[in-house]
Amino acid sequence: MLLYVLRRFASAVPTLFVIVTIAFFMLRLAPGGPFDLERPIDPLIIENLKRAFNMDKPLPQQYMLYLWNLLHGDLGPSFTRRDFTVNDLFRFGLPVSVQIGGTAIAIALVFGTVLGSLAALRQNSWVDYSVVGVATFGITIPPFVVAPILSLIFGVYFGWLPAGGWGAPGSMVLPVATLALPQMAIVARLTRGATIEVLRSNHIRTARAYGLPSWVVLYVHTLRASILPVVSYLGPTAAALMTGSVVVETIFGIPGIGRYFVQGALGRDYTLVMGTVVVIAVFVVVFNLIVDILYAYLDPRVRYD
Amino acid sequence: MTEAPNIVPAAAGIAPADGEMALGRSLFQDAWRRLRRNRAAVASAVVLVVLALAGLIGPMVAPHSYDRIYPQYVRVPASFEAYPKEDDIVPAFESALARARITIGATEVNGNTVSAPISDDEPLDPRITRYLDRSDLFSNVRIDQLSADGRSGVMLADVSRLQFIFGTDNNGRDLLARILIGIRISLAIGVLASAMALVLGVTYGAIAGYYGGKIDSVMMRIVDIFYSLPFIFFVILLVVFFGRSFILIFIAIGATEWLDMSRIVRGQTLTLKRQEFVQAAEALGATTSGILKRHIIPNTLGPVVVYATLLIPKAILLESLLSFLGLGVQEPLTSLGLLISEGAENIRGATWLLIFPAVTLTMILFALNFLGDGLRDALDPKDR
Amino acid sequence: MADIDNSILAVRKLDVKFHTDDGQVHAVKGIDLDVRAGETVAIVGESGSGKSQTMMAIMGLLASNGRVSGTARYRDTELIGMPERRLNTIRGAKITMIFQEPMTSLDPLYKIGRQMAEPLMYHKGMSAREARPRVMELLKLVGIPDPERRINSYPHELSGGQRQRVMIAMALANDPDILIADEPTTALDVTIQAQILALLAELQQKLGMAIVFITHDLTIVRRFADRIYVMRRGEVVEDGATEELFVDPQHDYTKMLLAAEPTGTKLPPPPSAPVLLQGTDVQVSFKIGGGFLSGPPVLLQAVDRISVALRKGQTIGIVGESGSGKSTLGRALLRLLPSEGRIRFENRDLSKADREEMRPLRKELQLVFQDPFGSLSPRMTVGQVITEGLLVHEPSLSTKERDRRAIEALKEVGLDAASRNRYPHEFSGGQRQRVAIARAMILKPKVVVLDEPTSALDRSVQKQIVELLRKLQADHDLSYLFISHDLTVVRAMADYIIVMKQGKIVEEGQTADIFDNPRHSYTQTLMAAAVDTTKFRLAG
């Protein structure tokens, strides 16, 4: 088991390295630069700026320098937000995004599995049809439609919740709801499909033939197997949600890190974009690792592969 | 369940093909039959055809062009009644004419014409009709019953009745026309991007699956790495690289959506390669291309078609997301995503700007999802 | 049918229907059935006869689209229509069941000790700790080696036979009155099959429960069962005491089943017959595992230096259990797998022939597979399937000519000409196997490797296929390499037999010699197992 974890960890490092490398060079090869977008300034100032950001050195050297700093946990200064380092930006923004994303994923997991297994147990009943209906709804309607409509109904029309902003009581509700809805829908569908399949399998027939109470058949023998696809789905999804959603953060005006990537790419804020890529990649790698370990714990068959 | 021993002794010779024997149902025919029984899928197909036609033909037959601006009709609400509303005609007429600095008598509305006696100290300049012509409300403006000295007469104008059943946007453009062009753009990007993802994914996946071994593991490792990169990263970088254009957007989306397809096709090819009927073909001495053509490709087709149907809504969503972030198609062209993002900004004053595009997009996405699910169930009945 | 005294399970007018997309399937049509305390009842029938569904209905295990009517009384309790909660006090305690698929019938996610303890925990109210000694005792009872260690194993760590033993142990946990065994040996190798049957017989003597034994193979229950019910298409066509039924079968179907075993022998070809296909020291090895941090790969010798010589008109039977390398050998001889050693066909050396060089020879060297469902492409019509070889080898044929050849080939295997426009899934297993044979025969080959061509089929269909293969051999002077684990079929088909175990030949010789006088201990075990289960008619 320990060897398994170590092996998975070892294979994550080259992945991260490749991602950082591709991102770095793609970004630098894109036309335009961080100092193009402003009013014409004195070339001398630009020279100084470039020197300050190490932009005067050849690209390979900049790359090595970036890697070196990265190894020391330094993501560099932001190009567009001059008073902040990228580390600072993440120190403020990341907790907000993680809080919203984490809550959303927890809600999606709990409600999704419960609804999905209910639907599977009552297959082709009204419970099943309504869960499938709600799930299709949740999967189909994109967050950038849900978000403004929720904001319109609960924020503007009824005024029950803040229509946007961060910090006020209840300001988390609408963003979390927007994020959780589609994930809950997907989890419910996955759980339903898996449960139906498990319920049809031979070992469930065995459990029933031996007169085990239905709660044992359900919780001991069905749930564990039917949650497996949900576990593998949740890895990358949790990583994506916790690193912030640009749509939700834009519409509700939340100071998370979701917007940094788009803003950074448009403003050629190299360090900010790279920082976002690194943070997202680390989250993806870490959550995939957690998922693999969890999966191996739940399913003894994969432990020895 | 019961299998009737249906074996004819060889001596019996060739029996005349009776109806049931000749009517062999292929798997596709079976699937088609199951699909037709799925009411949601059939309804979705109908909705899609209607919307696709609306996107194709709609902009040509719509009363307004998607880029025509009506300055007098900025942000008018959706209504089946024609604009201008009766109460608005006289004030609009008078305010437009007021700029001509002449004396205006009692304005009357008579069916589709407005008239008002006008007079001035000096002879009336015929060019004053332009003040009214310039307005979107009036056309065929003329001065009638001009007195001999040219100082008085009756100003006549036809009222242009314009319909904005979905209302107009912030610039005074007809929302219906914009939604129609938006449907066209969104569907086109969805279909083209999916087609691109299809070609890329099928080729890549089939190569990896067919050759297997080291080539396969390297190719799939590359796919894994692409998976760990935030997908939108590429799209944004591509758009930033080459500027915003229709072609680029669908290429960017296609280039990010082929990963799943390549995995599906690879998995299929790997399974098929191990199937006994492929081994049987090898034992017959069939060539690689013959095996691919007769055995592998026809059998991957089902899942690929299903996945492609589900890919289109994904591509449409991605385009909408890009437009939402301001990286999509450029004004005056529009897409449903762009319309929704404009609607979201105007949510406090003009809800119709959000509701109509959102409903349209939702309808398309629902229909595509239902159709995809229906296809999957039809081709893979064990899922039910 | 008169009531039978001291019947503990009395089934009357049991009827099972399934509602499917293609209409209603009437699986069981109002059957009567009795089980007395301590006796062994066999229910025999081919696939689709409703034998399993009868027991599923009694146990309340029908699929959700199944509807059941009639009665099934266990002692004084009516089982049909009983609420699940009350049914759960009977199943697993008084009536237990083991299944055909030992590979999937245990939950893969839990240790077997834990799964075996569950019936004790929920019927006897024991805790997991209290149940453990009993579980250990049961594992010893069914002959699981090293039970202290095995109790902590997961199902995937056990062999098929061991899993079936675990299932039996679990079934015995609460001292049941009735043990229903649904084809418990079908998925197992012959030697294991014999062991499991012996175990069941021994346990019944020791513990005295009644056994209901469901099987498609009439012959294996002769020594085992007291009474037999023969089922066909949802009806019981005949029932009676075992000996009576074997000696004096009344119903035609029973007679047919008894005669279904392939009979006859094959005479060896004259010594002057030329050797067509010859393999010398053929070796096939597979690499297993290997990779980053997991150590060097292990080489598995699937076929270990085997020499074979197949003469014109000869049938060599290759016998062995799963994993013995017999199928691999067959494919290696046709150069469908990379191998070492020398392979000659007629006067050509094939050892180094690549795919291109082999192509023209494929016409002469054909292969028929075990699984008639997997070996036909589901997207092609039967006509396209059987003429594919003609496209490769006789590309100049016109469409019309190809069609004529297809009709001819279909006729030769006893299929209607109109079948060529239909798709494989519309045919039964036996018909599909005929299509697969037609695909090989249309090329007029000299050598055909038959890889378990009858193993997936019902006995009565098996016999038809064996007869078809014999007729084709006689008509076209074919040479067969007949691969099978089924000694009865091999005996009827082959004139020469090779017995394989773990990639090596353990014994070879003329069929009669091998059967009458096996020398190697493994051959003897194999024969004994087969004789145990199939040859009582000669003894009785």
Side-chain angles (χ1 to χ4, degrees):
Chain A
M1 191 73 190
L2 187 70
L3 186 75
Y4 178 78
V5 173
L6 280 175
R7 207 163 62 203
R8 291 284 303 120
F9 220 86
S11 75
V13 174
T15 310
L16 272 177
F17 171 75
V18 171
I19 291 171
V20 167
T21 308
I22 293 177
F24 186 89
F25 287 102
M26 267 188 88
L27 201 58
R28 290 307 172 91
L29 292 174
F35 312 116
D36 293 356
L37 300 170
E38 297 169 25
R39 279 167 281 119
I41 5 173
D42 192 339
L44 205 66
I45 297 178
I46 289 191
E47 276 309 304
N48 286 334
L49 274 172
K50 282 197 168 172
R51 200 169 311 127
F53 287 103
N54 284 324
M55 292 265 296
D56 55 338
K57 299 187 175 69
L59 199 56
Q61 203 184 334
Q62 291 184 42
Y63 170 64
M64 295 312 290
L65 209 62
Y66 186 80
L67 279 187
W68 180 251
N69 288 335
L70 188 61
L71 281 178
H72 293 82
D74 180 9
L75 296 167
S78 166
F79 282 75
T80 48
R81 296 159 202 241
R82 295 279 159 74
D83 298 333
F84 296 97
T85 66
V86 175
N87 290 52
D88 287 334
L89 291 172
F90 284 120
R91 199 170 303 133
F92 303 135
L94 194 57
V96 177
S97 292
V98 168
Q99 200 181 340
I100 292 179
T103 317
I105 209 86
I107 289 174
L109 185 59
V110 172
F111 285 92
T113 44
V114 169
L115 288 177
S117 29
L118 272 181
L121 289 177
R122 304 263 177 280
Q123 204 191 346
N124 296 331
S125 72
W126 65 269
V127 180
D128 186 23
Y129 292 135
S130 15
V131 169
V132 171
V134 169
T136 314
F137 208 73
I139 290 171
T140 312
I141 304 186
F144 56 85
V145 173
V146 174
I149 287 177
L150 285 182
S151 170
L152 177 70
I153 296 174
F154 296 102
V156 179
Y157 189 76
F158 289 117
W160 291 340
L161 293 162
W166 184 244
S171 60
M172 239 176 90
V173 176
L174 292 182
V176 166
T178 310
L179 280 181
L181 181 70
Q183 303 311 330
M184 185 180 89
I186 293 171
V187 169
R189 268 173 83 140
L190 281 175
T191 314
R192 176 181 176 271
T195 308
I196 288 173
E197 208 179 305
V198 176
L199 282 175
R200 271 188 218 147
S201 64
N202 286 335
H203 65 83
I204 294 299
R205 184 184 62 187
T206 308
R208 291 181 60 213
Y210 282 82
L212 305 187
S214 46
W215 66 267
V216 176
V217 176
L218 195 61
Y219 293 103
V220 179
H221 293 285
T222 311
L223 196 62
R224 184 160 168 185
S226 62
I227 206 145
L228 287 174
V230 177
V231 168
S232 19
Y233 170 75
L234 277 183
T237 311
L241 286 194
M242 291 192 187
T243 47
S245 148
V246 52
V247 170
V248 167
E249 290 183 8
T250 308
I251 291 177
F252 292 108
I254 289 162
I257 65 165
R259 287 174 295 178
Y260 288 165
F261 183 78
V262 178
Q263 289 175 357
L266 289 175
R268 301 294 192 284
D269 190 337
Y270 294 151
T271 46
L272 186 57
V273 172
M274 285 304 296
T276 320
V277 170
V278 169
V279 167
I280 292 175
V282 167
F283 265 79
V284 168
V285 164
V286 167
F287 274 93
N288 279 340
L289 192 62
I290 293 174
V291 160
D292 283 350
I293 293 168
L294 201 61
Y295 204 101
Y297 168 75
L298 286 173
D299 187 349
R301 284 167 298 182
V302 304
R303 281 178 218 168
Y304 302 87
D305 284 354
Chain B
M1 296 248 163
T2 51
E3 43 179 68
N6 204 1
I7 294 153
V8 201
I14 306 163
D18 60 82
E20 216 209 345
M21 287 287 261
L23 267 178
R25 292 199 313 254
S26 75
L27 290 185
F28 277 122
Q29 282 167 310
D30 257 359
W32 174 238
R33 195 170 50 92
R34 275 193 293 267
L35 187 66
R36 267 186 324 194
R37 252 193 276 161
N38 183 339
R39 265 175 288 162
V42 173
S44 301
V46 172
V47 167
L48 279 177
V49 169
V50 169
L51 283 172
L53 285 177
L56 273 177
I57 307 169
M60 291 179 239
V61 299
H64 310 286
S65 165
Y66 68 92
D67 53 358
R68 167 81 195 269
I69 293 172
Y70 298 97
Q72 267 80 14
Y73 294 122
V74 169
R75 274 162 73 118
V76 299
S79 160
F80 282 112
E81 244 177 80
Y83 284 98
K85 303 262 154 101
E86 289 304 318
D87 299 346
D88 298 336
I89 298 174
V90 175
F93 187 83
E94 287 175 348
S95 74
L97 212 49
R99 296 167 72 190
R101 298 205 184 104
I102 51 174
T103 315
I104 309 162
T107 314
E108 275 175 36
V109 183
N110 222 335
N112 269 342
T113 45
V114 204
S115 60
I118 49 171
S119 58
D120 200 7
D121 303 339
E122 287 164 42
L124 289 167
D125 185 343
R127 286 177 300 182
I128 59 170
T129 56
R130 283 188 200 162
Y131 289 111
L132 283 175
D133 265 335
R134 227 179 271 154
S135 162
D136 301 318
L137 277 62
F138 307 108
S139 60
N140 191 20
V141 186
R142 58 211 184 263
I143 300 171
D144 220 6
Q145 300 168 27
L146 197 63
S147 61
D149 59 1
R151 286 186 185 156
S152 67
V154 177
M155 185 70 122
L156 277 165
D158 294 347
V159 181
S160 309
R161 304 269 173 179
L162 295 176
Q163 283 215 313
F164 300 104
I165 54 173
F166 284 2
T168 60
D169 70 3
N170 280 347
N171 294 319
R173 290 174 297 196
D174 178 34
L175 188 61
L176 176 62
R178 294 190 67 69
I179 286 179
L180 288 174
I181 200 81
I183 292 173
R184 179 192 281 185
I185 298 283
S186 289
L187 278 181
I189 287 183
V191 169
L192 290 173
S194 303
M196 182 170 159
L198 195 78
V199 172
L200 219 62
V202 169
T203 320
Y204 194 93
I207 290 173
Y210 190 76
Y211 286 101
K214 288 226 165 60
I215 297 178
D216 176 43
S217 49
V218 168
M219 284 175 85
M220 283 301 123
R221 192 84 203 126
I222 292 172
V223 169
D224 284 345
I225 289 174
F226 276 102
Y227 261 113
S228 331
L229 283 168
F231 73 89
I232 198 161
F233 183 80
F234 283 104
V235 184
I236 289 174
L237 284 188
L238 279 170
V239 172
V240 167
F241 256 120
F242 299 104
R244 293 155 60 182
S245 78
F246 176 79
I247 293 174
L248 189 78
I249 287 165
F250 91 73
I251 290 180
I253 294 172
T256 53
E257 289 296 321
W258 62 279
L259 297 170
D260 287 323
M261 185 65 90
S262 73
R263 279 195 167 176
I264 289 170
V265 173
R266 169 184 171 266
Q268 283 280 319
T269 316
L270 277 180
T271 328
L272 285 170
K273 241 173 54 176
R274 264 173 276 161
Q275 293 273 314
E276 283 197 338
F277 62 80
V278 173
Q279 292 181 27
E282 277 170 12
L284 288 173
T287 54
T288 306
S289 69
I291 290 173
L292 282 173
K293 199 173 76 191
R294 282 192 296 271
H295 299 282
I296 305 239
I297 290 176
N299 283 294
T300 48
L301 225 55
V304 166
V305 165
V306 171
Y307 190 71
T309 329
L310 297 173
L311 203 61
I312 297 175
K314 277 178 90 178
I316 291 179
L317 264 184
L318 205 49
E319 186 282 325
S320 304
L321 182 64
L322 280 181
S323 294
F324 186 86
L325 298 176
L327 297 166
V329 290
Q330 270 175 314
E331 291 281 345
L333 264 185
T334 192
S335 75
L336 293 173
L338 195 57
L339 289 171
I340 289 169
S341 98
E342 285 166 11
E345 284 162 23
N346 293 292
I347 201 162
R348 278 161 201 270
T351 45
W352 65 90
L353 285 180
L354 175 64
I355 289 165
F356 289 113
V359 167
T360 313
L361 180 68
T362 310
M363 261 165 67
I364 293 179
L365 296 176
F366 259 109
L368 282 167
N369 276 324
F370 277 130
L371 190 62
D373 284 354
L375 273 176
R376 192 193 52 215
D377 293 344
L379 287 167
D380 186 12
K382 73 172 192 288
D383 228 42
R384 270 279 120 191
Chain C
M1 193 180 296
D3 273 345
I4 292 178
D5 295 337
N6 59 38
S7 157
I8 51 170
L9 180 68
V11 178
R12 293 292 174 270
K13 299 214 174 346
L14 188 83
D15 203 90
V16 179
K17 290 182 179 124
F18 291 96
H19 295 275
T20 70
D21 275 359
D22 300 315
Q24 186 168 280
V25 176
H26 204 160
V28 181
K29 297 168 183 164
I31 67 160
D32 293 353
L33 199 139
D34 284 279
V35 180
R36 277 174 293 202
E39 73 169 346
T40 302
V41 174
I43 303 178
V44 181
E46 302 192 318
S47 51
S49 63
K51 56 189 191 299
S52 292
Q53 296 308 334
T54 304
M55 288 301 140
M56 292 293 176
I58 293 168
M59 293 289 275
L61 295 174
L62 284 183
S64 59
N65 61 343
R67 295 286 170 273
V68 57
S69 65
T71 63
R73 294 185 81 79
Y74 164 72
R75 296 189 188 272
D76 290 319
T77 321
E78 177 57 51
L79 299 176
I80 305 296
M82 191 187 238
E84 179 116 359
R85 196 180 293 265
R86 290 210 22 233
L87 195 57
N88 278 346
T89 61
I90 292 176
R91 47 184 197 189
K94 303 293 179 202
I95 308 178
T96 56
M97 195 161 182
I98 59 177
F99 301 95
Q100 177 177 353
E101 309 87 354
M103 297 294 168
T104 53
S105 292
L106 292 165
D107 191 332
L109 306 184
Y110 293 94
K111 293 173 181 167
I112 58 159
R114 151 100 204 231
Q115 288 186 65
M116 287 176 62
E118 279 183 329
L120 294 165
M121 288 158 69
Y122 299 111
H123 290 292
K124 294 252 164 78
M126 291 185 189
S127 69
R129 190 188 301 259
E130 287 162 356
R132 200 173 169 91
R134 173 77 175 140
V135 169
M136 199 69 89
E137 187 188 317
L138 288 165
L139 283 174
K140 281 180 194 143
L141 184 69
V142 297
I144 294 272
D146 201 1
E148 286 81 8
R149 202 163 60 83
R150 283 302 177 198
I151 198 168
N152 288 322
S153 295
Y154 288 98
H156 70 271
E157 297 167 305
L158 303 179
S159 71
Q162 284 176 329
R163 281 184 233 192
Q164 200 59 290
R165 283 171 192 268
V166 169
M167 281 298 297
I168 293 172
M170 199 164 142
L172 299 175
N174 289 317
D175 298 316
D177 272 350
I178 303 173
L179 169 66
I180 301 169
D182 187 357
E183 305 246 14
T185 61
T186 308
L188 305 172
D189 275 330
V190 251
T191 51
I192 312 290
Q193 188 173 329
Q195 290 168 12
I196 295 288
L197 284 173
L199 175 69
L200 280 173
E202 180 201 322
L203 290 170
Q204 186 183 29
Q205 285 213 317
K206 226 186 263 178
L207 306 171
M209 74 280 186
I211 293 183
V212 178
F213 196 91
I214 302 171
T215 180
H216 67 281
D217 193 347
L218 185 54
T219 49
I220 73 165
V221 292
R222 181 161 197 181
R223 192 181 59 178
F224 193 61
D226 299 315
R227 286 188 306 117
I228 295 179
Y229 289 85
V230 179
M231 281 188 77
R232 185 195 194 194
R233 297 185 193 167
E235 286 165 14
V236 173
V237 296
E238 183 166 3
D239 71 284
T242 307
E243 270 318 297
E244 277 167 40
L245 196 116
F246 269 84
V247 174
D248 186 19
Q250 298 300 309
H251 196 277
D252 286 346
Y253 183 68
T254 318
K255 287 179 194 161
M256 197 273 284
L257 278 184
L258 283 171
E261 194 166 290
T263 49
T265 48
K266 161 94 171 60
L267 290 176
S272 60
V275 172
L276 279 183
L277 184 66
Q278 183 168 29
T280 315
D281 287 337
V282 177
Q283 229 176 321
V284 182
S285 46
F286 295 116
K287 226 190 264 180
I288 292 181
F292 186 56
L293 284 178
S294 60
V298 183
L299 268 188
L300 177 85
Q301 287 289 347
V303 173
D304 196 359
R305 280 194 298 281
I306 285 189
S307 302
V308 199
L310 180 67
R311 290 169 184 280
K312 192 169 179 64
Q314 192 181 25
T315 302
I316 296 182
I318 301 181
V319 178
E321 297 187 302
S322 49
S324 61
K326 54 189 195 305
S327 292
T328 312
L329 173 65
R331 284 169 168 71
L333 287 171
L334 296 188
R335 300 283 304 142
L336 288 167
L337 283 175
S339 62
E340 291 163 55
R342 279 181 33 159
I343 298 168
R344 293 181 71 80
F345 174 64
E346 292 180 324
N347 286 317
R348 270 160 296 189
D349 186 2
L350 307 185
S351 317
K352 297 281 170 285
D354 63 15
R355 230 175 128 178
E356 286 306 315
E357 291 168 76
M358 279 307 293
R359 185 158 296 138
L361 293 177
R362 294 266 170 245
K363 189 171 166 354
E364 321 278 354
L365 302 166
Q366 270 305 305
L367 179 62
V368 174
F369 294 87
Q370 168 176 3
D371 178 12
F373 291 85
S375 66
L376 305 178
S377 183
R379 300 262 190 264
M380 285 162 82
T381 65
V382 164
Q384 288 169 332
V385 167
I386 58 180
T387 54
E388 184 175 6
L390 293 179
L391 286 178
V392 179
H393 297 287
E394 296 174 52
S396 56
L397 283 187
S398 67
T399 315
K400 212 170 170 181
E401 182 62 13
R402 263 207 306 277
D403 202 43
R404 196 190 59 74
R405 291 275 293 272
I407 293 170
E408 197 180 284
L410 284 171
K411 259 170 71 182
E412 192 155 25
V413 298
L415 286 176
D416 194 287
S419 340
R420 68 189 192 285
N421 297 321
R422 296 163 72 192
Y423 285 84
H425 72 276
E426 299 171 64
F427 293 87
S428 69
Q431 289 170 317
R432 284 160 168 252
Q433 201 56 290
R434 282 169 193 266
V435 172
I437 292 169
R439 167 173 61 191
M441 293 305 163
I442 201 168
L443 295 173
K444 310 208 183 304
K446 290 182 177 148
V447 173
V448 182
V449 173
L450 300 155
D451 188 358
E452 306 247 14
T454 60
S455 304
L457 307 172
D458 280 330
R459 268 279 183 224
S460 57
V461 184
Q462 265 182 12
K463 186 174 182 174
Q464 294 166 359
I465 296 291
V466 164
E467 272 157 17
L468 172 68
L469 289 170
R470 273 198 199 138
K471 178 179 158 290
L472 291 169
Q473 183 170 38
D475 290 355
H476 302 284
D477 209 8
L478 293 169
S479 305
Y480 285 154
L481 207 58
F482 191 91
I483 299 164
S484 182
H485 69 274
D486 188 338
L487 291 167
T488 328
V489 181
V490 173
R491 181 174 212 182
M493 279 294 296
D495 54 72
Y496 191 87
I497 285 178
I498 292 175
V499 182
M500 278 183 77
K501 190 189 183 190
Q502 289 168 359
K504 291 192 173 70
I505 295 183
V506 296
E507 189 165 359
E508 60 182 311
Q510 303 290 330
T511 304
D513 291 346
I514 295 276
F515 269 86
D516 298 340
N517 187 19
R519 283 184 302 271
H520 192 277
S521 62
Y522 178 70
T523 319
Q524 285 161 1
T525 323
L526 214 57
M527 294 296 160
V531 167
D532 253 7
T533 53
T534 62
K535 272 186 63 186
F536 296 111
R537 210 153 0 129
L538 302 175

